[in-house]
Amino acid sequence: MVIRGDERSAAIGSGSRRSRLGGGQFGTLGLHFADTETEKSVLSVLESVETELRETVASADPFVTEAAGHLVKAGGKRFRPLLVALGAQFGDPSRAEVVSAAMVVELTHLATLYHDDVMDEAAVRRGAPSANSRWSNSVAILVGDYLFARAADVAAELGPEAVRRQARTFARLVHGQIAETTGPRVGDDPVRHYLHVIAEKTGSLIATSAHFGALFSGATPEHVAALAGYGETIGVAFQLSDDVLDIASESAESGKTPGTDLREGVPTLPVLYALASEADAASARLREIVGSGPLTDDALHAEALGLLRESPALKQARETVRGYAEKARTHLAPLPDIPARHALESLCDHIADRTT
């Protein structure tokens, strides 16, 4: 599964809905607002999304309501609705369509989580038992299908453009999952393949989030295109930064125990760079350890983690993260110099800095 660190973590905070959606969450994401009006506008969209999510996943069947609401109640960063709300600042963020657009992307995202947990055989999601472990794989798959259907229903209310974009995004999500499952073909560059998977599975929906926010707030076509490009690139950058933190952090800074992906045999960017390296004896030893799959032996895991932290591969991965963060910033160039643009730039700064 591509989205790992933030989505496996526990729900954000407790207390009032505003406290869960406010400064603490934005601080975690590295998002900063230069003015209170923009922050209030973004919070208003996110609060409406929280309310409508619970209403939208409800069904005449109480069991379906419970299962479909399982991850809604567990919380999460709501990063995709956040991008919708920020994109809407370049038009009229008070339009009712903005909240509906945010609903489409979050429902689509939640649906993928149910399916991903089945494929990953995950036991926990957002600090709670995953749907597949609480009920069964079949229930989790069917609930994911139900959420996809609800997303399509909301998109239909927004019109043909929303339906088309959501369908194409869904197709990219599926292509990305297939590519991840089958792995690179013979002769393919594993790093290029991995970056393609992340763009399809992670970047595509975040791109649609920023695109929808701008589109349904009435922003200009130029601004819609700029925000879509930003969304895809920043989505890839965030995932790659999680890859680096999984290796480099000494604590649960990445939202999980350091080296989790390494232990599970997930070939993240630093590992792929290390496997491709023939620099020295340390690189050869690292290839020998991590090339064999999951590291269940604690001593081997610790050795591999130590070698990776000292390897040129980790530095190369950091440089790649910074490159994507700076590329995301360039997509913002056509946008007006308003507080929402500064907030989006702060995400670039955060990603560039969090892995150093």
Side-chain angles (χ1 to χ4, degrees), residues 18 33-43 89 339:
R18 177 169 290 277
F33 290 96
D35 72 319
T36 57
E37 290 306 311
T38 301
E39 184 174 11
K40 287 178 181 178
S41 175
V42 169
L43 282 169
Q89 303 304 311

Side-chain angles (χ1 to χ4, degrees), residues 169-319:
T169 302
F170 187 19
R172 289 190 65 189
L173 291 168
V174 174
H175 274 284
Q177 183 62 68
I178 292 171
E180 183 182 51
T181 302
T182 59
R185 297 184 178 91
V186 176
D188 285 352
D189 177 7
V191 172
R192 185 184 298 274
H193 175 269
Y194 181 67
L195 294 174
H196 169 72
V197 167
I198 292 177
E200 296 290 279
K201 285 196 62 179
T202 303
S204 63
L205 189 55
I206 295 175
T208 294
S209 301
H211 176 108
F212 270 6
L215 178 67
F216 290 107
S217 68
T220 67
E222 181 185 22
H223 294 167
V224 172
L227 285 159
Y230 169 87
E232 175 136 356
T233 313
I234 206 71
V236 174
F238 253 125
Q239 181 57 62
L240 295 181
S241 68
D242 275 355
D243 287 359
V244 172
L245 286 176
D246 182 63
I247 301 300
S249 64
E250 294 290 349
S251 64
E253 182 182 357
S254 63
K256 56 190 174 182
T257 303
T260 297
D261 294 328
L262 184 65
R263 185 177 292 278
E264 294 176 354
V266 177
T268 59
L269 189 66
V271 172
L272 290 172
Y273 278 148
L275 290 173
S277 173
E278 298 180 359
D280 49 32
S283 297
R285 174 57 177 161
L286 193 52
R287 290 199 308 275
E288 179 183 349
I289 297 172
V290 304
S292 60
L295 291 178
T296 56
D297 182 271
D298 289 342
L300 285 177
H301 177 265
E303 181 183 359
L305 194 59
L307 288 170
L308 275 168
R309 286 173 173 170
E310 299 298 324
S311 72
L314 187 60
K315 179 181 178 181
Q316 187 177 4
R318 284 190 170 113
E319 291 171 350

Side-chain angles (χ1 to χ4, degrees), residues 22-33 77 79 82 86 230 234 238 342-354:
Q25 176 182 354
F26 295 150
T28 300
L29 292 170
L31 180 66
H32 301 287
F33 290 96
K77 288 189 172 76
F79 185 58
L82 173 63
L86 284 168
Y230 169 87
I234 206 71
F238 253 125
H342 300 161
L344 293 169
E345 289 173 341
S346 73
L347 290 177
C348 300
D349 295 333
H350 175 65
I351 290 174
D353 293 341
R354 74 195 287 246

